[in-house]
Amino acid sequence: MIALAGLDLTDRLVVCVGAGRVAERRIERLRAAGARVRVVAPDATPGLAALASAGEIEWLERPFVATDLDDAWFCHTATGSASIDALVVDAAEARRVWCVNAGHGGKGTARLAAETTSGDVLVGVVSAAGADPRRSVAVRDAIAARLAEGALPLRRRRRTPVGGVALVGGGPGPIDLLTVRARALLAEADVVVHDRLGPTGVLAELGDDVELIDVGKRPQHHPVPQDEINAILVDRAARGLRVVRLKGGDPFVYGRGGEEVLACRAAGIPVEVVPGISSAIAVPSAAGVPVTHRGVAGTLHVVNGQETPSEATLAALRDDTATVVALMGVSALPRFVAAARAAGAPDTRSVAFVENGHTPAQRTIRTTLGTAIQDAETHRLANPAVLVFGEVARADLLLPVPALRGEGIG
């Protein structure tokens, strides 16, 4: 009968008999667990010999004798000889030292689990005596995949003195475009501070006891000022909670992620940033517009469409080989286009407006700089939309668009 136990091997002696490839892999795990490792074997792999030369492990360069187990807490044997492995197991049992027999797991007194980790949780799968160890590995891999997807419960039930904040880029909206890291952090979250756009559908997957705080901004309407958002993040993390700041796109692409990182650091709150797929690239892609294309455009210029175009932006708008992607620019479109034309950008410059990208309501308006304002008004262009200026927006370059997306216009 096998019973699972989590053993703390930190600074405890583990004796490994045999120094081949199997032993080398197992020793790596044991050293990672903090064990002091003594190897007993006439010969060793180059890797283990190098560790011994560096003083990282102890190597007794000779055959095993029972007294090698004196003061040991744990033993591992992988000599390649069934008789020697059995001798080691018997010697360990006589000294009440748990022993893994890598040559025949059913004839040892302990098993090394197939392991995976998620944050501070260690998951181990152990096969019963005589069972196929490959099954344990397969089950471990399946659990690891579910943990990575955030599909298993990962939340701590005990608060720590100081929690932490993760600024998570949620991408353009579809849940399946979230990164694996983002899904795992959401599964661990006690609090999610989220925007209006992005993968808000994932919130329905969270437990009822996860606090959801909507701080989403709308055009001309910012109900929760940035300073207050910063204060919320710091306050919840200071209570020992794990906070996810879920943003659309990428936290550092017009997401004010830098301000939130600085606020957390100033308050002594641990913070990490998880990149996301930026709508500057993802939304044009959903409409079949490549932001760069060999022989057409080799430069990409991403701008805040609400701001007056800089000289660099104007130069890019004049450049036949550059693409300018403007975010949050619908309300300022007349001013933006006027500045571009006044700076010498040609009226024939191709333009594409992609509205409601990555949703069933997505639509694409194709136009030119000279008629952009008129077409935007005619088709009632509205937020959220990504504006693409450049020859990559030509109709003959548009790539096939999935059937889910809206029909192109213009």
Side-chain angles (χ1 to χ4, degrees):
M1 189 72 174
I2 301 297
L4 290 175
L7 302 180
D8 182 359
L9 297 177
T10 305
D11 202 32
R12 291 181 167 88
L13 177 63
V14 174
V15 174
C16 294
V17 184
R21 295 298 180 189
V22 172
E24 184 173 16
R25 291 195 299 271
R26 298 293 178 84
I27 287 169
E28 181 180 359
R29 283 180 59 182
L30 293 166
R31 292 182 64 235
R36 291 186 292 112
V37 176
R38 173 186 294 162
V39 176
V40 184
D43 301 294
T45 65
L48 290 177
L51 287 175
S53 296
E56 298 292 328
I57 61 174
E58 177 188 4
W59 179 19
L60 303 182
E61 197 173 345
R62 55 167 174 74
F64 169 79
V65 294
T67 54
D68 291 332
L69 296 177
D70 290 350
D71 301 322
W73 289 72
F74 197 80
C75 177
H76 183 285
T77 181
T79 65
S81 167
S83 59
I84 295 175
D85 286 341
L87 177 67
V88 175
V89 171
D90 289 344
E93 188 167 1
R95 288 166 169 74
R96 298 185 179 181
V97 175
W98 296 108
C99 183
V100 173
N101 184 346
H104 195 309
K107 293 185 177 181
T109 55
R111 315 278 188 276
L112 279 185
E115 296 178 352
T116 187
T117 59
S118 180
D120 54 6
V121 173
L122 174 64
V123 177
V125 181
V126 177
S127 58
D132 183 356
R134 292 172 296 183
R135 186 180 182 190
S136 299
V137 172
V139 172
R140 184 275 314 275
D141 291 345
I143 293 172
R146 296 284 285 171
L147 287 168
E149 294 167 359
L152 297 178
L154 296 175
R155 288 185 59 211
R156 292 189 180 104
R157 298 301 170 178
R158 296 179 181 176
R159 295 187 182 183
T160 55
V162 177
V165 173
L167 305 185
V168 171
I175 295 175
D176 58 0
L177 289 182
L178 276 164
T179 64
V180 171
R181 178 70 178 150
R183 294 300 296 268
L185 286 169
L186 283 164
E188 297 174 0
D190 301 303
V191 182
V192 177
V193 181
H194 62 92
D195 288 341
R196 176 177 66 99
L197 302 176
T200 54
V202 76
L203 303 177
E205 299 179 0
L206 305 180
D208 293 340
D209 55 346
V210 177
E211 183 182 11
L212 304 179
I213 304 175
D214 184 355
V215 296
K217 300 177 177 66
R218 291 166 176 78
Q220 312 305 320
H221 182 58
H222 297 179
V224 185
Q226 187 61 49
D227 287 347
E228 188 173 337
I229 295 174
N230 297 348
I232 291 171
L233 301 178
V234 169
D235 172 73
R236 297 307 192 274
R239 298 184 198 177
L241 301 174
R242 307 185 81 170
V243 183
V244 167
R245 174 70 173 100
L246 181 61
K247 298 170 172 289
D250 182 273
F252 285 170
V253 181
Y254 302 119
R256 301 193 180 183
E259 298 172 45
E260 293 169 358
V261 168
L262 292 174
C264 290
R265 288 180 177 170
I269 300 298
V271 59
E272 67 172 298
V273 178
V274 179
I277 302 173
S278 173
S279 60
I281 298 170
V283 170
S285 175
V289 178
V291 292
T292 65
H293 190 80
R294 187 169 62 167
V296 178
T299 301
L300 174 62
H301 201 85
V302 180
V303 301
N304 181 342
Q306 297 176 357
E307 297 179 354
T308 301
S310 67
E311 287 301 321
T313 301
L314 295 173
L317 288 163
R318 290 192 299 265
D319 187 347
D320 292 341
T321 64
T323 302
V324 176
V325 175
L327 305 179
M328 306 173 293
V330 172
S331 62
L333 180 63
R335 175 165 49 87
F336 190 93
V337 169
R341 297 176 71 188
D347 282 351
T348 56
R349 175 72 69 232
S350 297
V351 177
F353 303 141
V354 186
E355 188 182 280
N356 292 307
H358 282 282
T359 75
Q362 176 178 306
R363 65 169 179 162
T364 305
I365 302 170
R366 298 192 296 269
T367 183
T368 62
L369 192 65
T371 59
I373 303 303
Q374 177 183 341
D375 286 339
E377 292 175 350
T378 298
H379 297 293
R380 297 183 179 179
L381 177 67
N383 278 306
V386 172
L387 319 179
V388 184
F389 301 83
E391 296 314 297
V392 293
R394 294 198 323 250
D396 63 324
L397 276 182
L398 288 177
L399 305 176
V401 179
L404 171 66
R405 312 306 179 196
E407 294 297 323
I409 299 172

